[in-house]
Amino acid sequence: MSTSTTAAQRAAGGTADYLDQRTGISLAVKNFARKIFPDHWSFLLGEIALYSFVVLLITGVFLTLFFVPSMGLVEYEGPFAPMNGVEMSEAFASTLDLSFEVTGGLLMRQIHHWAALLFMASIVTHMMRVFFTGAFRKPREVNWLVGFILMILGLAAGFTGYSLPDDVLSGNGLRITDGVVKSIPIVGSYMSYFIFGGEFPGEHIIPRLFTVHILLVPALILALIGLHLFFVVLHKHTHFPGPGRTERNVVGFPLFPVYVAKAGGFFFVVFGVLALMGGTMTINAVWNYGPYDPSPVSAGAQPDWYMLFLEGSLRLMPGQGTEWDLWGYTLSLNVLIPAVVIPGILFTLLAAYPFIEAWATGDKREHHVLDRPRNAPVRTATGVAILTAFFILILAGSNDLIATHFALSINDITYVFRVLFLVTPFLAFWATKRICLGLQRKDRELVLHGHETGRVVRFANGEYIEVHKPLDEYERWIRVHHEPRRPLEIEPAEDEHGVRRKGYRMDAIRARASRFFYEDRVEPVTPAELAAAHSHGEHDALPAGEPETQEIGAGSGGGRHAVTGAPLPDEGDTPRPSVQDH
Amino acid sequence: MTTDNSSTEVEVRRDASGLPERFENPGLAPHQERMADNDPVADKRAERQVVILFALSVLGTIGFLVAYFLVPPGETVASMRLSNLLLGTTLFLGMFSIGAAAVHWAKVLMSDHERQEQRHPQRSDEKVRAEAIAQLKDGAEDSGIARRGVLKGAVVTALALAPLSIVVPLVGEVGGDWNVSKFRHTLWKQGKKLTRDPSGEPIRASEVTVGSVFHVIPEGLRDEELWIEEKAKAIVLMVRIDPNDLTEREERKDWSYEGIVAYSKVCTHVGCPVALYEQQTHHLLCPCHQSTFDMANEARVVFGPASRPLPQLPITVDDEGYLVARSDFHEPIGPSYWERLK
Ligand code: HEM
Ligand code: FES
C-alpha cells in the first residue's frame, strides 16, 4: 500500500515538475490554491448561472450533431405517425428526429430548454442579489456592466434558440419580432429585410439564427463570463457584514479544497436537477404544435418566461390613437412604446444604476462589505419598484391564461393591469422604504434594549419590569456596523463677494438627489447612545417603544430632521484619516 | 495615496465623553466545533455517507447505460416518454449524487475554520502610475506619431476604410434585393378565386352559411416560387354576416357579397394571424395580444393594442358562382411601418 502511494506521489511530483519547468505554474498555484472566498447562500446564484451555461454547452453540442438548420421543405416520414406525409422544414423534421429517433435526444432537448430557463432565472436573481446588497459599488461598477451585457446576451441566446425548431409557436414569435422591427421609424422595413434576407419569413432566418445561436452568442457569453470571473478574482469577493469582516479583509474558506469540492460539487447538483427536470417535465413538445405555416395560430401560447414582460408590455398598450401620421409617414407608438421605449427605460435604468447612485450620494470610496438591504432603504425600494413593474408586465403577458383560468373578462383584466402597471411601482417604492426604515428602527431597539426574556421582575416599590438580555458584541455588531449616511451638504450659491459660483446648479440638483436617497433615515446606535440607554435605569428597564429614537428622524416623510452626532464631512471629497492595513 | 480610493474603514473618532463615535468591530466570533471534529465515530460515519453517495452515482450511471440499451424511444409518444423518463432519472442520480457527495464532504470533513486575507485598494500607487505614463510617453516618442501629421492621417484613414471590404458586401447581400416595396402587394388581383386553406379548393358563395368561418388563400398559391412569403401576406378570413347586422360605408358596398366579407388575416398590430371568431358578437380576436376587431363593422378595432382595422379584400362571384377577388387589398396588409402610406 505504502509503496503504491509513493509511486503515485512520485508520478504526480514528476508531472508537476515537468509542467512547472515549462509554464512556471507553481506561481499560479501558490497564489490561487488557497485563495479565500466568503460563504453565503446568495453567492450561489451566480454559480447556478455559470453551471447552467455549462450544461447548455454540453447539451447544445449534442443537439448540433443532429439538428439540421435548413428551411428546405421535406415530407416527414418517421416513427411519429400523426406527422407522416406532412410537409415541413428540415429544421422541424430534424427536431422530430431528435425527439423520436435519437435515443436520449429528447432528454438533451429538454435539458437544454430547462437549462435555458434556469440560466435566465439565475442571472436575474443573481443580479437582484448584487443590486440589493450594493455589491455593484466601486470598484465593481464595471463588472456590473459586464453582468448586464451577459443578461442581454442570455436573452438573445434564449430567443434565437427558441426559434430554431421552426414550429408554429416560434414561427409566430418571429412574426411578432418582424412586426416590432418594422415599427422602428425610418429604418424599420430595412431592418426587417436585414434580418430575414428579404420578406418574412424567407428561407434564411433559421440558418442565420443557428449561427447566432451556436457560435456568436455563446462565444461572446463565454468571453464575458471569463472577464466577469477575472474581475471577481481581481476585486476579491464581497462579504456580508459580520464580526471580523472589514473593508480591508475577506473572510471565508480556501478555494482548495473547500470550494473545489463545494462549487465543483454544486455543478453536478445543478446538472442533476436539470436532468431530472428534462426527464420528468415535458417542455416545448413541438410535435403537438406542428411545423410553421403562416396561417394557423394557437391561443394560450406563451413565450419562455424571460420574454413574457415584452409580451405583457405589448398587450397592455392601448391601440386607439397611438398610431400617428407624420407628414405621410407612419409612427406606430402602439408598438414602439411597449416594445422599445419601456424595455429601453427598464434596461437603461438597470445598467446605469451604479453610476446614478454613486453620483447622487457623492460616494467615491471602495466598498467590500455588503449592505443589508434595510440599510439602504431608497436603493432597496427602487429595486423593488423595478421588480414590481417587471412582474406586472409578466402577469399581463399571461392575461389570457388568467382570464380563462379564473373565468374573468380579458378586457377587464387588461384595464386593471394598465392601472396596476402605472401605480404599483410607486406603492411598492413607498412601502418598501417604510419597511426598511422600520427594520432599522427595530435593530436600534434591539441594540439599545436587548432581547426580551419574558422574565418579569417585581420591585420592592411594586413596579413590574421585564428583564432584557443585552446583545453580545458579535450580535450587536451586525446591527451597528454601518456608517450613517447623510445627504450631501453643498456650498452656498454665492461666494463671500456675492458672486454666483460656477457649477452651483449642478451641485443643487445633486444635493436634491442625495436628499432623495438619505433624507429619511435611521442611524445606527452609537456607543454613547447605548451608554445612555443603560444609565436610564439600572435594570435595563426602558420599555420597548419609548420615544427614544424619534429625534433620529425615523423618517416621517418630508422635512429635514435633527441628527445626533457631529455631521460628517462631505464623504467623497474630503480627505479623512483611515486605518492602514499593515 | 488619496482617501478617495481607500475603503470605508472604521475610524476611531471619539466624542466629548471619550466614548468612540462608533462601535468597533469585535473581530471574528469564536469557532464552533462540529460533531465530526472531535468524535472519531461521527467522523467515520460522515466518511461512510460520502462514500455511499459516490456509490449511488455509479449506480445511476450504470442505470443510464442499461436504459439506453434496453429501452429505445420506440414508435409512440408513450414509449418515447418512457425512454426519456428512465434516462433522465438515472442521469439525475449519476450527477446529483456526485454533487451531494462533494458538498457533504466539504461541509462535514473539510476544515471549517474561517480564514482571512487582506484586500488592497484597486488603484495602483503613484509610482506605478507615473511609470506607466512614462512608458506610454516613451513609446509615443519612439513612434514619432505626434510629429508626423501626414503619417497619422494615413494610418487613421487606412484603418477606418479597411473594414468597408467586409461591411459593404455584407450589407449589400444580407437583405436580399432590399426591395421593401414588396410589402405593398399580395397575390390577390381581379378574378383570383378564393380557395380553402390549405387544400386550395375554390369556394362557392352558396357554401358560405351565416356564422361559418373560412380560412382563405388565393388560388394557385402553391405554384408560386416564394409561396410561403406570399401566403404570409395573402391569408384572408371570410365570414357571412346577416346583412341587417352589417355596417358598410357607401363606397365599400360592393366589396362584400350578400353579407360575405373577407378581411386580411394578418393582425395590424404586429402581424399574428387573427383567427378566433366569435359568432354572436361578430368579434374577431387576435390570440397574440388580444386585439379585437368587429367583423360586422369594417373590422374596426374594439379592444387591444392594434390601431387600425384589418384591410378588407373586395370580393364578388364569378359566372360559376365561385367567390373571387375584385382586386388586391387597397392598402398594405399587416403591421404598420414607416413608409406605409407613401
Ligand atoms: C448560451 C445559452 C443558450 C441558451 C439560453 C439556449 C437556449 C435554447 C433554447 C431555448 C432552444 C430551444 C430548444 C427546444 O425546445 O427545442 C435551443 C435550441 C438549440 N440550441 Fe441552444 N441555448 C444556448 C446555448 C447553445 C449552445 C452553446 C449550443 C451549441 C453549441 C446550442 C445549440 C442548440 C441547438 C442545435 C438547438 C436546436 C435544437 C432543437 O431544436 O431541437 N445552444 N437553445
Ligand atoms: S399581433 Fe394581433 S394583437 Fe398583437
Side-chain angles (χ1 to χ4, degrees):
Chain A
M1 189 70 205
S2 71
T3 44
S4 80
T5 325
T6 24
Q9 277 173 350
R10 228 181 302 125
T15 315
D17 175 54
Y18 182 93
L19 272 181
D20 190 52
Q21 294 210 28
R22 282 152 188 86
T23 61
I25 190 138
S26 295
L27 185 67
V29 172
K30 169 185 150 265
N31 284 340
F32 289 107
R34 299 287 272 177
K35 232 177 144 44
I36 300 299
F37 283 90
D39 215 5
H40 191 266
W41 65 266
S42 69
F43 301 161
L44 284 181
L45 296 166
E47 266 180 66
I48 299 181
L50 176 64
Y51 299 147
S52 18
F53 180 66
V54 176
V55 172
L56 282 164
L57 285 179
I58 296 172
T59 51
V61 169
F62 185 99
L63 294 178
T64 50
L65 302 181
F66 304 95
F67 179 74
V68 183
S70 155
M71 298 174 90
L73 292 177
V74 291
E75 241 171 54
Y76 180 72
E77 258 180 80
F80 187 57
M83 285 280 163
N84 261 326
V86 175
E87 195 174 34
M88 58 181 66
S89 66
E90 287 186 88
F92 188 78
S94 65
T95 306
L96 291 186
D97 291 349
L98 254 169
S99 310
F100 290 97
E101 281 177 69
V102 178
T103 309
L106 179 66
L107 183 65
M108 293 298 158
R109 268 195 62 221
Q110 301 206 129
I111 295 181
H112 193 73
H113 207 137
W114 281 118
L117 301 195
L118 183 66
F119 181 58
M120 285 314 298
S122 49
I123 287 185
V124 169
T125 40
H126 171 62
M127 226 171 156
M128 281 158 59
R129 195 283 287 172
V130 170
F131 184 92
F132 286 118
T133 59
F136 55 76
R137 288 171 298 170
K138 189 179 171 185
R140 296 182 179 77
E141 307 97 318
V142 182
N143 217 13
W144 167 268
L145 283 184
V146 174
F148 173 81
I149 300 172
L150 276 168
M151 180 193 67
I152 302 288
L153 287 171
L155 289 176
F159 178 77
T160 52
Y162 182 78
S163 306
L164 286 181
D166 203 20
D167 56 284
V168 166
L169 270 193
S170 68
N172 277 319
L174 280 177
R175 184 137 206 196
I176 293 177
T177 313
D178 181 51
V180 169
V181 166
K182 279 182 178 153
S183 78
I184 296 170
I186 306 172
V187 292
S189 314
Y190 295 93
M191 283 178 68
S192 164
Y193 265 48
F194 186 97
I195 295 170
F196 293 93
E199 276 195 288
F200 173 89
E203 48 196 18
H204 300 293
I205 186 66
I206 296 290
R208 284 182 185 182
L209 288 175
F210 184 69
T211 306
V212 173
H213 183 72
I214 71 150
L215 180 73
L216 210 54
V217 173
L220 285 174
I221 290 183
L222 205 58
L224 286 179
I225 286 180
L227 187 61
H228 201 65
L229 296 183
F230 167 77
F231 275 129
V232 171
V233 171
L234 181 76
H235 294 144
K236 299 196 168 88
H237 207 293
T238 50
H239 47 193
F240 273 93
R245 287 136 215 258
T246 72
E247 296 287 1
R248 292 306 183 103
N249 72 1
V250 47
V251 175
F253 302 102
L255 181 63
F256 181 75
V258 177
Y259 280 99
V260 170
K262 272 197 185 170
F266 199 58
F267 163 71
F268 291 95
V269 170
V270 171
F271 199 163
V273 169
L274 285 171
L276 191 63
M277 293 172 86
T280 54
M281 294 174 353
T282 303
I283 186 167
N284 209 15
V286 290
W287 54 90
N288 289 337
Y289 311 151
Y292 180 65
D293 177 296
S295 181
V297 65
S298 55
Q302 302 277 294
D304 278 350
W305 78 266
Y306 46 82
M307 286 288 164
L308 267 181
F309 77 103
L310 262 181
E311 181 86 0
S313 169
L314 279 168
R315 289 181 185 192
L316 285 193
M317 182 75 192
Q320 254 91 359
T322 44
E323 180 171 310
W324 294 358
D325 183 339
L326 303 178
W327 307 282
Y329 290 101
T330 307
L331 186 68
S332 314
L333 293 178
N334 58 332
V335 181
L336 274 179
I337 290 180
V340 181
V341 177
I342 288 184
I345 292 176
L346 204 68
F347 285 142
T348 312
L349 206 63
L350 266 188
Y353 187 82
F355 307 96
I356 298 173
E357 187 184 298
W359 174 81
T361 60
D363 187 349
K364 294 178 189 154
R365 292 162 308 155
E366 289 190 5
H367 293 276
H368 303 289
V369 176
L370 295 171
D371 276 331
R372 299 166 82 210
R374 68 183 63 176
N375 289 339
V378 168
R379 177 202 300 146
T380 304
T382 307
V384 172
I386 294 179
L387 277 178
T388 309
F390 186 67
F391 190 64
I392 299 280
L393 289 182
I394 286 184
L395 282 182
S398 317
N399 61 356
D400 48 345
L401 295 189
I402 298 176
T404 47
H405 204 84
F406 297 99
L408 297 166
S409 133
I410 187 107
N411 304 23
D412 293 346
I413 296 181
T414 306
Y415 293 132
V416 169
F417 277 137
R418 280 179 191 164
V419 175
L420 288 182
F421 177 68
L422 295 176
V423 175
T424 45
F426 295 98
L427 284 181
F429 181 91
W430 177 83
T432 310
K433 195 172 151 195
R434 294 292 104 189
I435 292 171
C436 287
L437 292 170
L439 287 173
Q440 282 185 286
R441 250 172 261 141
K442 230 174 103 196
D443 280 346
R444 282 184 59 90
E445 281 301 320
L446 202 60
V447 171
L448 288 172
H449 308 307
H451 297 288
E452 293 174 9
T453 58
R455 207 154 59 80
V456 177
V457 182
R458 181 170 180 267
F459 286 101
N461 61 9
E463 186 193 355
Y464 287 92
I465 64 144
E466 189 186 350
V467 177
H468 284 223
K469 181 170 154 291
L471 273 59
D472 70 33
E473 56 178 344
Y474 303 113
E475 252 185 303
R476 187 204 302 139
W477 174 244
I478 181 130
R479 294 175 177 87
V480 298
H481 75 278
H482 51 299
E483 56 172 14
R485 293 173 178 157
R486 296 169 190 159
L488 294 174
E489 305 281 338
I490 55 171
E491 289 165 36
E494 287 159 8
D495 64 15
E496 61 270 34
H497 310 297
V499 180
R500 214 177 148 78
R501 133 182 113 74
K502 256 203 277 174
Y504 173 73
R505 270 192 81 80
M506 202 56 188
D507 280 0
I509 297 174
R510 195 163 158 199
R512 180 121 34 93
S514 109
R515 251 181 285 139
F516 172 69
F517 270 88
Y518 293 147
E519 177 136 61
D520 297 337
R521 66 185 174 280
V522 176
E523 303 203 343
V525 175
T526 63
E529 285 172 325
L530 185 61
H534 281 295
S535 64
H536 264 283
E538 262 126 80
H539 312 282
D540 218 2
L542 264 190
E546 199 67 18
E548 172 75 12
T549 61
Q550 272 190 356
E551 38 156 0
I552 307 299
S556 41
R560 316 205 71 176
H561 304 281
V563 177
T564 54
L568 278 181
D570 186 347
E571 314 248 84
D573 314 318
T574 320
R576 305 154 71 183
S578 62
V579 177
Q580 299 290 292
D581 57 338
H582 313 293
Chain B
M1 205 182 86
T2 70
T3 44
D4 259 8
N5 279 282
S6 70
S7 304
T8 329
E9 195 41 85
V10 191
E11 315 154 28
V12 187
R13 289 197 291 176
R14 293 183 187 273
D15 64 14
S17 61
L19 282 169
E21 206 164 83
R22 293 177 53 193
F23 284 97
E24 278 164 59
N25 195 326
L28 288 182
H31 177 248
Q32 308 268 334
E33 296 281 321
R34 293 167 300 190
M35 285 262 270
D37 287 337
N38 303 320
D39 177 359
V41 180
D43 182 84
K44 260 272 137 334
R45 185 163 5 114
E47 186 182 337
R48 211 162 41 237
Q49 287 162 348
V50 175
V51 171
I52 289 174
L53 283 169
F54 278 121
L56 272 181
S57 162
V58 175
L59 281 184
T61 306
I62 293 173
F64 183 94
L65 296 177
V66 171
Y68 174 81
F69 286 111
L70 299 188
V71 192
E75 307 274 303
T76 64
V77 172
S79 63
M80 173 194 77
R81 288 242 160 89
L82 178 68
S83 151
N84 187 58
L85 177 70
L86 293 177
L87 292 174
T89 41
T90 48
L91 182 58
F92 161 72
L93 202 62
M95 293 297 172
F96 188 87
S97 310
I98 295 182
V103 172
H104 194 52
W105 182 0
K107 283 211 155 152
V108 294
L109 292 175
M110 291 179 188
S111 157
D112 71 335
H113 282 270
E114 282 190 319
R115 296 152 175 269
Q116 50 175 312
E117 211 171 82
Q118 294 304 309
R119 294 180 191 271
H120 306 281
Q122 283 312 313
R123 184 186 197 279
S124 333
D125 61 37
E126 287 304 339
K127 191 158 149 270
V128 173
R129 280 189 169 198
E131 275 168 14
I133 292 169
Q135 303 256 344
L136 289 181
K137 273 199 183 130
D138 281 357
E141 197 63 34
D142 248 2
S143 72
I145 190 87
R147 278 177 289 117
R148 306 182 211 272
V150 180
L151 178 57
K152 185 155 68 177
V155 172
V156 171
T157 316
L159 286 179
L161 292 185
L164 286 181
S165 339
I166 307 291
V167 172
V168 170
L170 189 141
V171 171
E173 299 304 310
V174 75
D177 58 10
W178 284 115
N179 176 11
V180 295
S181 69
K182 283 189 213 152
F183 294 157
R184 251 166 237 294
H185 310 289
T186 73
L187 275 187
W188 295 108
K189 58 178 192 226
Q190 190 179 8
K192 190 89 142 165
K193 284 203 180 80
L194 279 74
T195 65
R196 287 170 197 265
D197 176 25
S199 69
E201 290 164 39
I203 308 164
R204 284 179 203 276
S206 53
E207 296 168 52
V208 186
T209 50
V210 172
S212 58
V213 181
F214 282 74
H215 298 268
V216 171
I217 49 176
E219 162 192 34
L221 172 72
R222 286 306 302 260
D223 304 332
E224 296 292 321
E225 196 192 341
L226 301 176
W227 67 271
I228 294 188
E229 291 71 22
E230 292 302 344
K231 182 170 184 182
K233 289 188 295 185
I235 43 176
V236 157
L237 192 119
M238 179 170 71
V239 292
R240 177 179 288 213
I241 293 172
D242 184 339
N244 298 325
D245 294 341
L246 203 57
T247 322
E248 286 173 299
R249 73 182 93 152
E250 204 48 48
E251 67 270 26
R252 285 202 190 173
K253 282 262 196 261
D254 57 355
W255 285 16
S256 63
Y257 179 78
E258 293 178 353
I260 303 177
V261 287
Y263 286 97
S264 164
K265 206 175 135 182
V266 186
C267 188
T268 56
H269 180 222
V270 282
C272 278
V274 192
L276 308 179
Y277 183 60
E278 233 261 321
Q279 231 194 83
Q280 262 82 43
T281 54
H282 312 300
H283 283 179
L284 183 64
L285 177 76
C286 176
C288 285
H289 316 103
Q290 288 94 36
S291 288
T292 312
F293 303 90
D294 185 356
M295 295 295 270
N297 187 6
E298 300 189 341
R300 280 173 206 264
V301 182
V302 288
F303 181 77
S307 270
R308 283 180 294 105
L310 297 167
Q312 187 173 4
L313 182 71
I315 54 170
T316 183
V317 289
D318 66 7
D319 312 339
E320 298 160 76
Y322 288 112
L323 288 160
V324 295
R326 293 172 62 98
S327 70
D328 196 355
F329 294 100
H330 285 222
E331 57 179 322
I333 57 94
S336 302
Y337 52 94
W338 183 247
E339 64 277 18
R340 194 180 102 88
L341 299 176
K342 285 285 157 179

